[in-house]
Amino acid sequence: MKKTSTRLADGRELIYYDLRDDTVRDAVDRRPLERTVTSSEVRHDVLLGDEVAIASHRQGRTYHPPADQCPLCPSEGDRLSEIPDSSYDVVVFENRFPSLAGDSGRCEVVCFTSDHNASFADLSEEQARLVLEAWTDRTSELSSLPFVQQVFCFENRGAEIGVTLGHPHGQIYAYPFTTPRTALMLRSAAAHKEATGGQNLFDAVLERELADERVVLESEHWLAFVPYAAHWPYEVHLYPKRRVPDLLALDEEARSEFPQVYLELLRRFDRIFGDSEPPTPYIAAWHQAPFGQLEDFEGVVREDFALHLELFTIRRTSGKLKFLAGSESGMNVFINDVPPERAAGRLREVASR
């Protein structure tokens, strides 16, 4: 992998990740952009104990442009985009309309391929490995910033999810706090560790799932399963079998095997509802241990957390979506219409091989 860092016309950082070490990236951003001005701030909710990002500047972000005006495609001739070069393998750049900015965090866009009409599932294993290396590199760089406590790599795919740009891409958020979902997991891990005399909760979950009918895919170094209490109609959790706290700690064997396993899962997701259905909308979310202190979670250390990816769709059946209505949005109590065992069976049934 070759990494080349440059700056866009408004001062934002852009990084090329290339498969070939001899690739030269010297294209200049020719757009007449002014310096980006953001108004992001993080406010604390004293009742719920969580944080809310206020980012009014995002109201003006790019919204469903035609394909020939996509800002994530390479620049070509007089059509100038966020990527100055005429081609790329993987690109990461600071979001022009970030939810978090300054001391309130940082948001980056990850372009998986220059092919506007592709999806992550269309990538080769070599390309998918390059994306993994980009996620890992950005986790390393962002976690070193003094205000960052947690790094979140994720992909939103599909208009139903709320994606406003159709080009295959994901995002990375660097939070100045530990997110509520992670805090819940850490508290559960601390309680389990105390109740069992030091046993690890994540290890116990994997042991239980390995012995049950919800396993979707298993390889030498990875395990994918539908969780016992899945929140979403089709939801898969992907864990490395050797527990590590973050992407940085993955060993070479797990890294090498990841592209094959992950691409297989994504291709199965696209087959859930049959070939006549549009591509399955989904969210793919990496959960990593916070990089800050864990004094709020007595009894656990970073190494107790287990890196994992959660992949889920809001489509519950052909032509129907799972909406977060009163119980889910009002009380955070999910109601799942698809039994996890049935979902796992369907995902085994639609193996792409």
Side-chain angles (χ1 to χ4, degrees):
M1 178 190 78
K2 181 180 180 182
K3 176 182 175 182
T4 305
S5 179
T6 185
R7 292 281 171 180
L8 296 173
D10 56 6
R12 288 175 294 131
E13 185 178 19
L14 180 143
I15 306 163
Y16 294 98
Y17 293 90
D18 287 295
L19 293 168
R20 292 175 55 94
D21 290 337
D22 59 353
T23 303
V24 176
R25 299 295 185 187
D26 55 7
V28 176
D29 185 2
R30 294 180 284 129
R31 297 173 299 171
L33 297 180
E34 297 181 355
R35 283 274 175 178
T36 300
V37 177
T38 63
S39 55
S40 175
E41 63 172 306
V42 174
R43 297 183 181 180
H44 181 70
D45 186 324
V46 295
L47 291 179
L48 297 181
D50 58 11
E51 279 69 34
V52 177
I54 310 296
S56 59
H57 61 276
R58 284 174 54 79
Q59 287 280 38
R61 65 188 184 274
T62 308
Y63 187 81
H64 293 299
D68 62 355
Q69 297 177 31
C70 175
L72 306 185
C73 288
S75 293
E76 185 175 357
D78 294 331
R79 186 177 66 81
L80 306 179
S81 73
E82 290 280 67
I83 295 91
D85 216 324
S86 58
S87 67
Y88 64 85
D89 292 332
V90 173
V91 164
V92 177
F93 61 87
E94 289 184 74
N95 198 324
R96 191 177 179 186
F97 303 97
S99 301
L100 306 165
D103 290 342
S104 295
R106 174 160 160 149
C107 295
E108 299 182 340
V109 176
V110 184
C111 298
F112 303 138
T113 171
S114 60
D115 184 352
H116 180 85
N117 297 312
S119 69
F120 200 118
D122 296 321
L123 300 183
S124 68
E125 291 185 15
E126 184 181 36
Q127 290 173 307
R129 170 65 186 259
L130 184 61
V131 175
L132 175 63
E133 295 307 319
W135 284 330
T136 304
D137 181 72
R138 297 315 301 153
T139 296
S140 175
E141 293 289 332
L142 293 171
S143 65
S144 68
L145 298 176
F147 56 85
V148 171
Q149 289 193 29
Q150 190 168 4
V151 179
F152 177 44
C153 307
F154 65 100
E155 179 191 2
N156 297 329
R157 190 269 193 99
E160 300 94 329
I161 296 294
V163 176
T164 57
L165 296 176
H167 195 104
H169 73 288
Q171 300 182 64
I172 303 175
Y173 279 20
Y175 296 104
F177 51 81
T178 298
T179 61
R181 281 286 296 266
T182 303
L184 286 173
M185 285 188 251
L186 288 169
R187 292 189 185 102
S188 295
H192 182 85
K193 191 174 184 179
E194 181 178 5
T196 59
Q199 294 181 16
N200 184 274
L201 175 60
F202 294 97
D203 292 349
V205 168
L206 258 62
E207 183 178 353
R208 182 180 72 176
E209 295 296 348
L210 269 169
D212 219 310
E213 58 182 311
R214 290 178 299 275
V215 171
V216 173
L217 182 62
E218 182 181 0
S219 67
E220 184 178 356
H221 300 286
W222 293 88
L223 178 69
F225 58 90
V226 177
Y228 171 75
H231 288 55
W232 300 95
Y234 291 90
E235 175 181 343
V236 174
H237 292 190
L238 177 63
Y239 279 72
K241 288 184 176 178
R242 184 179 72 86
R243 173 166 43 90
V244 294
D246 52 45
L247 289 166
L248 304 175
L250 278 177
D251 58 28
E252 179 57 31
E253 290 79 9
R255 290 181 183 280
S256 296
E257 198 178 65
F258 171 78
Q260 177 185 354
V261 173
Y262 187 48
L263 291 172
E264 171 67 15
L265 279 180
L266 293 181
R267 290 161 187 166
R268 291 190 191 192
F269 253 61
D270 275 344
R271 289 176 167 83
I272 294 173
F273 306 103
D275 294 335
S276 62
E277 287 288 318
T280 303
Y282 65 73
I283 293 174
W286 280 109
H287 291 264
Q288 305 191 77
F291 288 92
Q293 297 297 316
L294 300 183
E295 62 267 14
D296 292 337
F297 313 101
E298 187 176 352
V300 296
V301 295
R302 288 195 78 247
E303 288 68 27
D304 289 327
F305 192 86
L307 167 76
H308 63 283
L309 182 139
E310 297 184 9
L311 173 68
F312 60 90
T313 180
I314 62 171
R315 186 179 291 165
R316 56 188 176 88
T317 189
S318 297
K320 297 179 181 179
L321 301 180
K322 165 67 179 176
F323 292 102
L324 300 189
S327 186
E328 291 90 353
S329 294
M331 282 297 184
N332 200 28
V333 177
F334 275 67
I335 302 167
N336 190 351
D337 302 313
V338 181
E341 293 74 19
R342 185 190 303 168
R346 178 58 179 163
L347 285 162
R348 290 192 298 268
E349 182 181 85
V350 296
S352 66
R353 294 187 186 90

